[in-house]
């Protein structure tokens, strides 16, 4: 019994170290200003949607897993919209070029999502309490990510488009 408990703690420690390293790298890159190309914001969500569609066609969820996937998609959409609002978008007044930088809140938001996911995994365990298997949990995470990536970019697109229209009027 103690060997199993120590393996659990080791797993959490390794996860915490990996998250810490990723967070440190992301924190260093936050001040880097990157150009924001509105015409390219759709590419990553479209590719991810294709992968998601492939996964759901080849390995479809069963029973209640469809409902949980739909809920995960909606939850991901809400989280993505919030994360999109946290991204800093600036516009050059002369050239009207859009730029973006990561906000510390956006990075902390992702860390919080990972922490909640880890906590949920610990509470759900192997998923038998909700009659879910590893595939269903994976499907739910894929749906959550699709909602997050898509709505984050939609929010950024809409906000940047409004900023451009305002800048062009002036």
């Amino acid at each position: 019994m103690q060997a199993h408990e120590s393996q659990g703690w080791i797993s959490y420690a390794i996860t915490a170290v990996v998250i810490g390293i990723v967070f440190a790298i992301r924190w260093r890159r936050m001040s880097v200003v990157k150009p924001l190309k509105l015409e390219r914001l759709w590419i990553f969500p479209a590719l991810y949607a294709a992968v998601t569609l492939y996964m759901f066609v080849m390995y479809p969820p069963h029973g209640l897993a469809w409902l949980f996937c739909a809920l995960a998609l909606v939850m991901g959409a809400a989280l993505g919209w919030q994360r999109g609002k946290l991204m800093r978008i600036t516009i050059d007044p002369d050239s009207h070029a859009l730029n973006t930088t990561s906000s510390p809140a956006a990075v902390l938001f992702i860390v919080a999502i990972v922490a909640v996911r880890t906590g949920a995994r610990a509470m759900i365990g192997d998923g038998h309490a909700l009659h879910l298997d590893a595939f269903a949990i994976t499907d739910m995470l894929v749906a959550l990510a699709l909602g997050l990536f898509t709505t984050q970019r939609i929010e950024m697109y809409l906000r940047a488009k409004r900023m451009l229209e305002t800048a062009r009027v002036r």
Side-chain angles (χ1 to χ4, degrees), residues 66-145:
W66 280 110
L67 174 65
F68 288 123
C69 286
L71 291 173
L73 181 68
V74 170
M75 193 166 77
L79 293 171
W81 192 266
Q82 186 60 39
R83 184 161 195 274
K85 287 171 50 176
L86 294 173
M87 300 298 289
R88 293 182 189 155
I89 298 174
T90 58
I91 187 166
D92 183 274
D94 298 327
S95 67
H96 296 155
L98 293 165
N99 296 306
T100 185
T101 54
S102 292
S103 120
V107 176
L108 290 172
F109 190 71
I110 290 296
V111 170
I113 290 172
V114 171
V116 168
R117 179 201 171 272
T118 304
R121 185 177 76 179
M123 287 181 7
I124 292 173
D126 57 8
H128 291 296
L130 297 173
H131 305 289
L132 299 172
D133 58 9
F135 293 113
I137 293 171
T138 301
D139 290 339
M140 291 179 340
L141 292 174
V142 166
L144 181 108

Side-chain angles (χ1 to χ4, degrees), residues 35-47 89 95-99 153-154 156-158 160-161 164 168:
L36 177 63
K37 305 290 184 193
L38 290 181
E39 62 275 4
R40 294 185 187 166
L41 282 175
W42 67 273
I43 295 172
F44 182 72
L47 290 173
I89 298 174
S95 67
H96 296 155
L98 293 165
N99 296 306
R153 282 158 176 85
I154 289 171
M156 290 174 66
Y157 174 84
L158 293 173
K161 195 76 166 160
L164 272 176
R168 288 182 180 146

